[in-house]
Amino acid sequence: MDTFFQPASIAVVGASDRREGNLVIKNLLYGYRGQIYPVNPNHRAIEGLPCYPSLEEIPTEVELAIILVPAPAVPSVLEACARKGVLRVMIQSAGFAEVGQRGQAIQNRCLAISKESHIRIWGPNCMGLVDVPRKYFFTFMNPGVYEDGLIAGRISLIVQSGMLSAIFLAELNRRSIGVGKVCSIGNKADVDECDLLRYLLQDTETDVVALYLESIPRGRLFAEIAREAIKPIVVLNGGRSQAGARAAMSHTCSLAGNSRLVDSVLQMSGVTLANDIYQMMDLAKALDMIPEVKPTGRTAILTMSGGAGILCCDVLERHGLRVARLSERTEKVLSGIFPDWMPVANPVDLFPAVRLHGRVPTYNQAISVLLEDPNVDVLLIHYVAGLEGESLDLGAIKNKADREGRVVLFWLMGRGNATKSFRREAQSRSLVVHWEISRAVECLSAAVRRQCRQRRNSAGGSTTPSLPLKIPQESVLTTTAKRVLDEYESKRLLDKWEIPVVEEILVSTLSEAQKAAQRMGFPVALKGLLPGEMHKTERGLIQLGIASKPALKNAYQKITEKLTGRGRILLQRQVEIDYELIAGFVRDDQFGPCIMFGLGGILSELQPDVVFACAPLKRLEALELIRNIQGRRLLEGFRGMAPLDQERMADILINLGDLGRAYPQIEQIDINPVAVRKGLALALDANLVVNPSG
Amino acid sequence: MDTFFQPASIAVVGASDRREGNLVIKNLLYGYRGQIYPVNPNHRAIEGLPCYPSLEEIPTEVELAIILVPAPAVPSVLEACARKGVLRVMIQSAGFAEVGQRGQAIQNRCLAISKESHIRIWGPNCMGLVDVPRKYFFTFMNPGVYEDGLIAGRISLIVQSGMLSAIFLAELNRRSIGVGKVCSIGNKADVDECDLLRYLLQDTETDVVALYLESIPRGRLFAEIAREAIKPIVVLNGGRSQAGARAAMSHTCSLAGNSRLVDSVLQMSGVTLANDIYQMMDLAKALDMIPEVKPTGRTAILTMSGGAGILCCDVLERHGLRVARLSERTEKVLSGIFPDWMPVANPVDLFPAVRLHGRVPTYNQAISVLLEDPNVDVLLIHYVAGLEGESLDLGAIKNKADREGRVVLFWLMGRGNATKSFRREAQSRSLVVHWEISRAVECLSAAVRRQCRQRRNSAGGSTTPSLPLKIPQESVLTTTAKRVLDEYESKRLLDKWEIPVVEEILVSTLSEAQKAAQRMGFPVALKGLLPGEMHKTERGLIQLGIASKPALKNAYQKITEKLTGRGRILLQRQVEIDYELIAGFVRDDQFGPCIMFGLGGILSELQPDVVFACAPLKRLEALELIRNIQGRRLLEGFRGMAPLDQERMADILINLGDLGRAYPQIEQIDINPVAVRKGLALALDANLVVNPSG
């Protein structure tokens, strides 16, 4: 990868005296100090550089080729690269997979050549690379983007969209956020987000990586890289809506995955998700500037406006953060500067005290005692810049905060020039400043969540489970066509993999059913199983709450009628249920074998509350997955019910992952519902899809 | 009210040569052209104006008094006002109800004097009034706020927080949003948000009213005013979190209500809710600039960045808006300017076409055909300002949009100066411009929702139902102490008010139960009713699914044991349930009699999905309330179930409101669950709380 970022020499195939062919040369001349070789048989010189009719006529070695010629001409250029020994190529032309079959065929040819000749291809259909600190512009981006000067920084970007990479760069700059490297990866035929993420995570000039992606074909690898990452990673996922996914398909030929699964797996891997461009930038900046925050995130609020303090509380609570309870010492010190009638509370409304003692002395005293308060992890200061009198000593505040291990955030207001210079100073001291309180708290909350995950990761826990050496043959899984196992077959398999299932037995006559029910004890349930039938309820194939022998006879007759001679009948213990969960295994195109966990029941179908993670799951991950659902309060002993035995639930998820991984022909497993009674989870119904060609 | 806003003369009691007493005089001198009378026995003149030792010594009539003296001195000043005949008073001093009992007592005395003398009081603990177009500053606000010049506009504010009113003013200005009147109402002991809202809704200089409130004591009146309003109303509600509500209590002495009820009732009344300061400002501005939009809100997206188009789709879907399906004519015209390989779709990615035909001609052609497309209600243009070449003709675009009845929104990016001038021009042409796509769509979505409601309101529908003339006496409701009616008593009352209830009968012996069950048909349910007991399930007082005589005997014994001689036993038809809803009546402190509707079941307790509206409900309102829950899909024929009979459900809600209103001693009614089977709703369990002193 290093050669892409710091080549000793660059050939530009398709350089010219106008448009993109000219822009690339101009952009290279702006800051790149290595050899530049324009290549174009129709020119003798471009921008004062000698121009070569072909790659092979360049006298010296070439480390990187930037290709701008039309798509159909690209394969022969690649062949020339192979002959010349150019092993790094950026194809910035469009007209490949994104334009349909013909383009796809050209892209495939390029890939074939690259494999054969060990050439790495960056692109096609991309805008290449910008390295702001080095002033490298390996791109046909409009020079307008950098002509006003760019702010160098330590946030690097990977962008699957040409124009957006230029836009990101310009907008980050307009928002005074410094940028390191910007990688525009387009169709990512060869070099993809995984390659670049890995590179940037090791890059000593990058602190945070932010990505705009429309697909993550090597999602599993991406998740693994993210999981091991020390640096913060922010992902803005485009194409999550139906219309967006369609558009992504025609834009960079991306098959967007199941967005719920993608989001969930990325979050489990420690990625911070964004949903808008500026929010992504703000998150990246905040994670860069808040490398450490106590995971309790208890926040003290300092303001001169009672109303603003109230809004801070509201927003903190909305984002799941806690308004700190001040220590006795803090209360005592503050009540010394507050007027008599005013009780000390958090939010700390300084307005009355400021009228007594002046603004800056009051602020300083309050800031000092709050930063020393053992109950305060974060100090959120609502501040109006440009008021009369001196301003805050930001350097002293930052030093004190660092000494005490606290985070200070500013919610800034005030007049234009005053806010500008305040921001500039705060920035230089690595203090985070926001205009909108909800954005400020959103960023803080992302930093806190990241911190929680880092602690979990460093806690380690058991190593990744491995499958048993000898995996038993399962005849029910041997099939030549895709098929759905029935409930009984599915649960037998779950049972073998130590997933607790409800007590049940197949019966083939009424008298068998009567005897089994007697043994099991009433009430029982009776189910008609039809091959491939996944909607037993709708088909009238389920009879619940059978409390007596006559009722069983009646139910047996009803189900026999519905079955019309096909299928088989299952007698089940009727269990009492406190609530329903769901668990599943799915083999995702991007992320491979994954585990799903969530709330069950009809309402959860309406507004799904499910989370996903890559299998295999470590125990700590399984436990975290369980706690990641929105309705987690249900599992903690809700309304007097016993709390869920989370260890047992974790076992189920881990074992489900092992079962799915053990047999590659298993495409999907759904345990729906997982019935919970007195905290114990039990597979009540399940089905398993086998697909030998999967 | 008019005298508050345009008094012919103002006395400032507590004027002085420094601090607030001086600021008010300076601020008045800035733009107010009426008579100004400083009052202070210790001064002869202030800022060049003669100063009077007392109100009564002012030689002419005084229309408005601004009071700045310490709280304990205020009642005697009010008495002086009464003697002098000053009928409008703004108390800007603090130290009243917000500081505790002593202050509350002073506030009460002020109110007593005002009632007696027909004086209207504005405040106390407030910053008074600013009228930007008139340059009136009846306030001790720091002149820094207006010294740079303020932008006059047609958005007026009502703010229950002194500092926030100054902050709003300054920040609106910084964001180039024009402001009309800013009313800071503080403790609102007399003049409150209802008085001012009514005034501003009739004010010919105000188009939109935005409010920051910490409580709405006359919530019901507020909702009624809002319901009749033609102008948009935006409310930012402070103190919705627990910590925020506590802070609101000590800030302006506000008892924040049940935030879910407040939000819900306000929305039903046509109010747009905000949750952050700038978002509130953006919403107010957007509603001002988008007075008309088709309620279908089908949006076409125009961009030069495929990635940006994809993000637009994602955000539109997240806010419940639709990505338009382009008409055949549009597709034909666009395919004429697109390169051959590129299919036409929405989002319309103009990048390849721009390379063929140049930027502005391509944009113009696309904008023109999209504005004529009958399937497009809104055109969202992602635009990068400051690129080479000419810029868009915004005037022509706006004219065309108006002619075609379409809304145009810009999502703007680009270099500093270019974006500034673009914004300025767009603003002058009443075109909405946003930086963040999610904020742009949030505002659009608010405009669309408002439009839907306006149509509903103008559709009229049946008039407000009135109660029957003769309301029957109900002996169960005659009680001297608060009491909870049992399930049976509650449902008898529901039944009388034509709310369908499950078939049931009280039984006092086993043989009575056996006979009743025989008549009703098995299965049945048996419940033990204990006076005041609201958790029958937890107490083991419910036996469900009793399918036979022996089972009934068994169940009867169990319940008899649990009852230990008290209470009574209810036999109920066991009904099948597709899903559960809840409905209720509550008498809210702020909003009076209200109806609640929502999803039932355990998950809905976890993440409540309930909505509220003031009773009585018109039929159209009841139907709207039903459709306002997030899980509305459940009611529309989910998973093959019959759709809810919404007319019947509306009847239940309307009748429930009538029942509650008919008997003032009814404090609360809960029907939980309302069982739904085959689309028909039925009260399955209910309880009713009577409170004679309520």
Side-chain angles (χ1 to χ4, degrees):
Chain A
M1 277 297 121
D2 235 7
T3 311
F4 275 119
F5 288 86
Q6 298 190 52
S9 52
I10 303 177
V12 181
V13 184
S16 94
D17 56 0
R18 51 199 195 94
R19 295 217 174 173
E20 287 84 1
N22 190 250
L23 285 174
V24 171
I25 299 294
K26 274 193 183 149
N27 289 342
L28 285 174
L29 286 170
Y30 177 71
Y32 177 64
R33 296 285 162 259
Q35 287 299 317
I36 307 171
Y37 303 108
V39 177
N40 188 333
N42 306 318
H43 292 274
R44 311 275 314 256
I46 291 170
E47 298 291 326
L49 296 172
C51 186
Y52 297 83
S54 73
L55 263 178
E56 283 132 308
E57 281 164 78
I58 297 172
T60 59
E61 201 192 345
V62 171
E63 288 202 348
L64 171 67
I66 297 177
I67 301 185
L68 298 162
V69 299
V74 171
S76 65
V77 175
L78 280 180
E79 281 160 358
C81 287
R83 287 193 298 273
K84 173 77 183 163
V86 185
L87 296 181
R88 296 292 175 269
V89 171
M90 272 183 193
I91 308 177
Q92 301 194 3
S93 347
F96 294 84
E98 81 282 5
V99 307
Q101 277 193 324
R102 252 183 54 209
Q104 180 71 60
I106 302 175
Q107 188 166 313
N108 291 347
R109 271 209 56 207
C110 293
L111 275 179
I113 298 166
S114 93
K115 277 224 178 90
E116 209 172 280
S117 333
H118 305 287
I119 295 176
R120 294 301 308 262
I121 295 180
W122 177 308
N125 185 27
C126 75
M127 278 217 188
L129 167 71
V130 174
D131 182 327
V132 177
R134 286 199 174 67
K135 301 193 176 178
Y136 284 3
F137 292 84
F138 303 171
T139 170
F140 62 89
M141 212 175 268
N142 196 299
V145 170
Y146 59 79
E147 270 169 358
D148 300 343
L150 287 177
I151 304 166
R154 303 182 61 83
I155 297 173
S156 289
L157 301 173
I158 300 171
V159 186
Q160 184 183 352
S161 165
M163 271 297 276
L164 267 192
S165 61
I167 285 171
F168 278 130
L169 188 53
E171 296 299 314
L172 280 162
N173 198 47
R174 204 168 56 75
R175 292 165 78 85
S176 310
I177 302 178
V179 185
K181 301 175 173 69
V182 181
C183 313
S184 163
I185 54 176
N187 293 6
K188 51 190 187 184
D190 172 17
V191 171
D192 70 359
E193 56 277 6
C194 291
D195 298 318
L196 290 172
L197 178 61
R198 201 147 26 187
Y199 179 81
L200 292 173
L201 287 173
Q202 287 166 357
D203 176 25
T204 53
E205 295 162 17
T206 293
D207 284 345
V208 177
V209 185
L211 303 95
Y212 169 80
L213 297 174
E214 291 167 10
S215 67
I216 316 180
R218 294 200 289 168
R220 194 177 183 81
L221 175 60
F222 189 91
E224 278 163 20
I225 298 170
R227 194 150 34 179
E228 301 302 319
I230 306 296
K231 300 179 187 174
I233 301 170
V234 183
V235 171
L236 173 58
N237 223 321
R240 297 159 58 152
S241 59
Q242 285 188 1
R246 268 198 307 276
M249 183 62 208
S250 70
H251 180 228
T252 50
C253 196
S254 293
L255 261 183
N258 167 350
S259 64
R260 207 180 294 276
L261 182 143
V262 176
D263 286 358
S264 189
V265 171
L266 290 182
Q267 269 182 316
M268 274 294 284
S269 309
V271 166
T272 298
L273 295 177
N275 56 36
D276 199 348
I277 290 181
Y278 291 146
Q279 184 223 22
M280 173 201 190
M281 296 176 181
D282 289 337
L283 285 169
K285 184 179 169 184
L287 294 176
D288 188 17
M289 293 175 86
I290 313 179
E292 286 279 340
V293 53
K294 289 201 196 127
T296 35
R298 298 163 304 174
T299 304
I301 301 156
L302 207 59
T303 178
M304 277 195 13
S305 156
I310 292 165
L311 288 174
C312 288
C313 291
D314 292 352
V315 177
L316 284 166
E317 189 175 291
R318 201 157 67 230
H319 285 87
L321 292 174
R322 274 188 279 170
V323 177
R325 203 193 155 85
L326 304 180
S327 72
E328 271 180 43
R329 176 174 171 255
T330 303
E331 291 202 344
K332 211 175 135 200
V333 172
L334 289 179
S335 68
I337 59 172
F338 275 27
D340 289 343
W341 56 265
M342 193 172 178
V344 173
N346 184 17
V348 182
D349 180 359
L350 287 182
F351 186 63
V354 162
R355 291 174 89 172
L356 294 176
H357 316 287
R359 201 163 49 88
V360 169
T362 308
Y363 264 88
N364 282 341
Q365 233 178 317
I367 290 170
S368 177
V369 68
L370 287 169
L371 286 179
E372 287 164 12
D373 189 323
N375 299 345
V376 172
D377 304 318
V378 177
L379 177 56
L380 172 57
I381 305 178
H382 170 238
Y383 191 72
V384 181
L387 298 180
E388 278 158 41
E390 46 177 344
S391 56
L392 292 182
D393 181 348
L394 297 185
I397 293 174
K398 173 67 177 169
N399 288 341
K400 173 128 192 166
D402 285 349
R403 255 195 333 271
E404 304 286 348
R406 305 296 195 272
V407 168
V408 174
L409 288 183
F410 283 94
W411 175 22
L412 183 66
M413 292 182 169
R415 296 160 84 175
N417 288 332
T419 55
K420 254 184 219 155
S421 62
F422 185 95
R423 279 175 77 89
R424 210 173 303 121
E425 201 197 331
Q427 180 115 356
S428 74
R429 307 212 180 266
S430 296
L431 284 164
V432 184
V433 176
H434 284 278
W435 291 116
E436 297 211 46
I437 178 63
S438 44
R439 179 61 50 83
V441 172
E442 207 173 353
C443 289
L444 174 62
S445 149
V448 169
R449 276 201 312 273
R450 211 184 95 76
Q451 209 62 224
C452 296
R453 180 170 320 275
Q454 295 289 99
R455 304 229 165 174
R456 194 259 290 155
N457 272 349
S458 63
S462 60
T463 51
T464 305
S466 57
L467 290 177
L469 275 179
K470 196 159 166 54
I471 290 165
Q473 285 284 336
E474 287 294 347
S475 58
V476 287
L477 297 178
T478 334
T479 164
T480 51
K482 177 165 171 166
R483 91 178 185 93
V484 182
L485 267 56
D486 75 18
E487 178 178 342
Y488 184 73
E489 290 171 321
S490 303
K491 274 188 283 188
R492 291 295 64 71
L493 215 49
L494 295 183
D495 186 41
K496 286 190 191 169
W497 287 77
E498 293 180 13
I499 293 169
V501 299
V502 64
E503 187 183 348
E504 62 188 10
I505 184 168
L506 285 175
V507 292
S508 40
T509 64
L510 176 59
S511 87
E512 253 185 68
Q514 300 283 29
K515 271 182 219 151
Q518 216 89 41
R519 233 180 7 251
M520 216 174 254
F522 285 99
V524 295
L526 213 55
K527 295 178 175 180
L529 311 183
L530 274 177
E533 176 60 62
M534 290 167 82
H535 300 285
K536 293 190 282 274
T537 309
E538 289 84 337
R539 289 291 195 91
L541 289 169
I542 299 189
Q543 295 282 329
L544 297 176
I546 303 165
S548 61
K549 280 185 78 170
L552 178 55
K553 185 178 174 190
N554 190 9
Y556 194 90
Q557 277 166 352
K558 277 190 190 159
I559 288 195
T560 313
E561 269 167 39
K562 292 274 180 191
L563 283 177
T564 59
R566 298 173 304 147
R568 41 193 193 168
I569 295 181
L570 185 64
L571 182 90
Q572 218 165 59
R573 177 191 294 282
Q574 173 83 50
V575 295
E576 286 187 87
I577 301 178
D578 290 338
Y579 54 87
E580 297 179 348
L581 300 172
I582 46 175
F585 171 88
V586 61
R587 221 173 270 282
D588 183 71
D589 288 340
Q590 298 192 118
F591 291 90
C594 287
I595 287 299
M596 183 257 276
F597 172 73
L599 295 187
I602 189 168
L603 289 191
S604 67
E605 284 183 49
L606 209 57
Q607 294 170 35
D609 183 5
V610 293
V611 288
F612 294 83
C614 290
L617 286 172
K618 293 184 195 175
R619 175 158 294 274
L620 278 179
E621 288 170 333
L623 289 169
E624 185 181 341
L625 190 68
I626 293 168
R627 288 170 202 143
N628 269 359
I629 59 167
Q630 280 168 11
R632 66 187 71 84
R633 272 200 307 140
L634 178 66
L635 317 180
E636 292 163 358
F638 189 64
R639 287 254 332 216
M641 294 183 298
L644 177 69
D645 182 336
Q646 299 196 7
E647 294 290 342
R648 172 164 164 160
M649 190 67 229
D651 282 334
I652 294 178
L653 298 179
I654 293 168
N655 295 347
L656 194 57
D658 287 346
L659 165 57
R661 285 163 59 230
Y663 302 97
Q665 66 270 45
I666 294 183
E667 186 174 279
Q668 191 178 331
I669 308 171
D670 279 299
I671 312 184
N672 184 5
V674 174
V676 180
R677 173 67 177 170
K678 298 190 171 160
L680 295 182
L682 188 71
L684 203 55
D685 195 350
N687 67 61
L688 195 151
V689 182
V690 185
N691 191 352
S693 64
Chain B
M1 278 297 123
D2 236 8
T3 311
F4 275 120
F5 288 87
Q6 298 190 50
S9 52
I10 303 176
V12 181
V13 185
S16 94
D17 56 359
R18 50 198 196 93
R19 294 219 177 172
E20 288 84 2
N22 190 251
L23 285 174
V24 171
I25 299 294
K26 273 193 185 149
N27 288 344
L28 285 174
L29 286 170
Y30 177 70
Y32 176 65
R33 295 289 162 257
Q35 288 298 319
I36 307 171
Y37 303 107
V39 177
N40 189 331
N42 306 319
H43 292 275
R44 311 276 312 256
I46 290 169
E47 298 291 328
L49 295 171
C51 187
Y52 297 84
S54 73
L55 261 179
E56 284 131 309
E57 280 164 80
I58 296 172
T60 59
E61 202 193 344
V62 171
E63 288 201 348
L64 172 68
I66 297 176
I67 301 184
L68 298 162
V69 299
V74 171
S76 66
V77 175
L78 279 179
E79 282 160 358
C81 286
R83 290 193 297 273
K84 174 74 184 165
V86 185
L87 297 180
R88 298 291 176 268
V89 170
M90 273 182 192
I91 308 177
Q92 301 194 5
S93 346
F96 294 85
E98 80 281 6
V99 306
Q101 277 193 323
R102 251 183 57 209
Q104 179 71 60
I106 303 176
Q107 187 168 313
N108 292 346
R109 273 208 56 207
C110 292
L111 274 180
I113 299 166
S114 94
K115 275 225 179 89
E116 209 173 279
S117 332
H118 305 287
I119 294 175
R120 295 299 311 263
I121 296 180
W122 177 309
N125 185 27
C126 75
M127 278 219 188
L129 169 71
V130 173
D131 182 328
V132 176
R134 286 198 173 69
K135 301 194 173 177
Y136 284 4
F137 292 84
F138 302 172
T139 170
F140 62 89
M141 210 174 268
N142 195 299
V145 172
Y146 58 79
E147 269 168 359
D148 301 343
L150 287 177
I151 303 165
R154 303 182 61 82
I155 297 172
S156 289
L157 300 174
I158 300 172
V159 185
Q160 184 184 353
S161 166
M163 270 298 275
L164 266 193
S165 61
I167 285 171
F168 278 130
L169 189 53
E171 296 299 314
L172 280 162
N173 198 47
R174 205 168 55 75
R175 290 165 79 85
S176 310
I177 301 179
V179 185
K181 301 174 173 70
V182 182
C183 312
S184 163
I185 55 176
N187 293 6
K188 50 188 187 185
D190 173 16
V191 171
D192 70 358
E193 57 278 5
C194 291
D195 299 318
L196 289 172
L197 178 61
R198 201 145 31 185
Y199 179 82
L200 292 173
L201 287 173
Q202 286 164 0
D203 176 24
T204 53
E205 295 163 16
T206 293
D207 284 344
V208 177
V209 185
L211 302 96
Y212 168 79
L213 298 173
E214 291 168 10
S215 68
I216 316 181
R218 295 199 290 167
R220 194 176 182 80
L221 175 61
F222 188 91
E224 277 162 20
I225 297 169
R227 194 150 34 179
E228 301 302 319
I230 306 296
K231 300 177 186 174
I233 300 169
V234 183
V235 171
L236 173 59
N237 225 321
R240 297 160 59 155
S241 60
Q242 286 188 2
R246 269 198 307 276
M249 182 64 208
S250 71
H251 179 229
T252 49
C253 196
S254 293
L255 262 182
N258 166 350
S259 65
R260 208 180 293 275
L261 183 143
V262 176
D263 286 358
S264 189
V265 171
L266 290 182
Q267 269 182 316
M268 273 295 283
S269 309
V271 166
T272 298
L273 295 177
N275 56 37
D276 198 349
I277 290 181
Y278 291 145
Q279 184 223 23
M280 173 200 191
M281 297 177 181
D282 289 337
L283 285 169
K285 184 178 169 185
L287 293 176
D288 188 17
M289 293 176 87
I290 313 180
E292 288 278 339
V293 53
K294 291 204 192 122
T296 34
R298 298 163 304 174
T299 303
I301 301 156
L302 207 58
T303 179
M304 274 194 16
S305 156
I310 291 165
L311 289 173
C312 288
C313 290
D314 292 352
V315 177
L316 283 166
E317 189 175 292
R318 200 157 68 226
H319 285 87
L321 292 174
R322 274 187 280 170
V323 176
R325 202 193 154 84
L326 304 180
S327 72
E328 269 181 42
R329 176 174 170 255
T330 303
E331 291 202 343
K332 212 175 133 201
V333 172
L334 288 179
S335 68
I337 58 173
F338 275 28
D340 289 343
W341 56 264
M342 193 174 179
V344 173
N346 183 17
V348 181
D349 180 359
L350 287 182
F351 186 63
V354 161
R355 291 174 88 169
L356 294 176
H357 315 288
R359 200 164 48 89
V360 170
T362 308
Y363 262 89
N364 283 341
Q365 233 178 318
I367 289 171
S368 178
V369 68
L370 286 168
L371 287 178
E372 287 164 12
D373 191 321
N375 299 346
V376 172
D377 305 319
V378 178
L379 177 56
L380 172 57
I381 304 178
H382 170 239
Y383 192 72
V384 181
L387 298 182
E388 278 158 43
E390 45 175 347
S391 56
L392 291 182
D393 181 348
L394 296 185
I397 293 172
K398 173 66 177 168
N399 288 341
K400 174 127 192 167
D402 285 351
R403 259 197 327 273
E404 305 285 348
R406 305 296 196 275
V407 169
V408 174
L409 289 182
F410 282 94
W411 175 21
L412 184 65
M413 293 179 167
R415 296 159 84 175
N417 287 333
T419 55
K420 255 184 216 155
S421 62
F422 185 95
R423 279 175 78 89
R424 209 174 303 122
E425 201 198 329
Q427 180 116 354
S428 75
R429 307 208 180 267
S430 296
L431 284 165
V432 184
V433 176
H434 284 278
W435 291 117
E436 295 212 45
I437 179 61
S438 44
R439 180 61 51 83
V441 172
E442 209 172 352
C443 289
L444 174 62
S445 152
V448 168
R449 276 201 313 274
R450 211 184 94 75
Q451 209 63 225
C452 295
R453 180 170 319 275
Q454 294 290 99
R455 304 229 164 176
R456 194 259 291 154
N457 272 350
S458 63
S462 61
T463 52
T464 306
S466 57
L467 290 177
L469 276 178
K470 199 159 164 53
I471 290 166
Q473 286 284 336
E474 288 293 348
S475 59
V476 288
L477 298 178
T478 333
T479 164
T480 51
K482 177 164 171 167
R483 91 178 185 93
V484 182
L485 269 56
D486 75 19
E487 176 178 342
Y488 184 74
E489 291 171 320
S490 302
K491 273 188 281 187
R492 293 291 68 68
L493 215 49
L494 296 182
D495 187 41
K496 286 188 192 171
W497 287 78
E498 294 181 9
I499 293 168
V501 299
V502 65
E503 186 182 347
E504 61 188 11
I505 184 167
L506 286 175
V507 291
S508 38
T509 64
L510 175 59
S511 88
E512 254 184 66
Q514 301 281 28
K515 272 182 217 149
Q518 215 88 41
R519 229 174 17 247
M520 218 175 252
F522 286 100
V524 295
L526 212 57
K527 296 179 173 179
L529 310 183
L530 273 177
E533 177 58 63
M534 291 168 80
H535 300 285
K536 293 190 282 274
T537 310
E538 289 83 339
R539 289 291 196 89
L541 290 168
I542 298 189
Q543 294 283 329
L544 296 176
I546 304 165
S548 62
K549 280 184 78 169
L552 180 55
K553 185 178 173 190
N554 189 10
Y556 194 90
Q557 277 166 353
K558 277 191 188 158
I559 288 196
T560 313
E561 269 167 40
K562 293 274 178 191
L563 284 177
T564 60
R566 299 171 304 147
R568 42 192 191 165
I569 295 181
L570 185 64
L571 182 89
Q572 219 167 56
R573 176 192 294 283
Q574 172 84 48
V575 295
E576 287 187 87
I577 301 178
D578 290 338
Y579 54 88
E580 297 180 350
L581 301 172
I582 45 175
F585 171 89
V586 62
R587 222 173 271 283
D588 183 71
D589 287 341
Q590 300 192 117
F591 290 91
C594 287
I595 288 298
M596 181 257 273
F597 172 73
L599 294 187
I602 189 167
L603 289 192
S604 68
E605 283 182 51
L606 207 60
Q607 295 171 36
D609 184 4
V610 294
V611 288
F612 294 83
C614 290
L617 285 173
K618 293 184 195 176
R619 174 158 296 274
L620 278 179
E621 289 170 333
L623 289 169
E624 185 181 339
L625 190 67
I626 292 168
R627 289 173 201 138
N628 270 359
I629 58 168
Q630 280 168 9
R632 66 187 71 84
R633 271 200 307 142
L634 178 66
L635 318 179
E636 293 164 357
F638 188 65
R639 288 254 331 216
M641 293 184 296
L644 178 68
D645 183 337
Q646 299 196 6
E647 293 291 340
R648 172 165 165 161
M649 190 66 229
D651 282 333
I652 294 177
L653 298 179
I654 292 168
N655 296 346
L656 193 58
D658 287 346
L659 165 57
R661 285 161 61 228
Y663 301 98
Q665 66 271 45
I666 294 182
E667 186 174 278
Q668 191 178 331
I669 309 172
D670 279 300
I671 312 183
N672 185 5
V674 174
V676 180
R677 173 67 177 172
K678 296 190 173 159
L680 296 181
L682 188 72
L684 202 57
D685 194 351
N687 67 62
L688 195 152
V689 181
V690 185
N691 191 351
S693 63

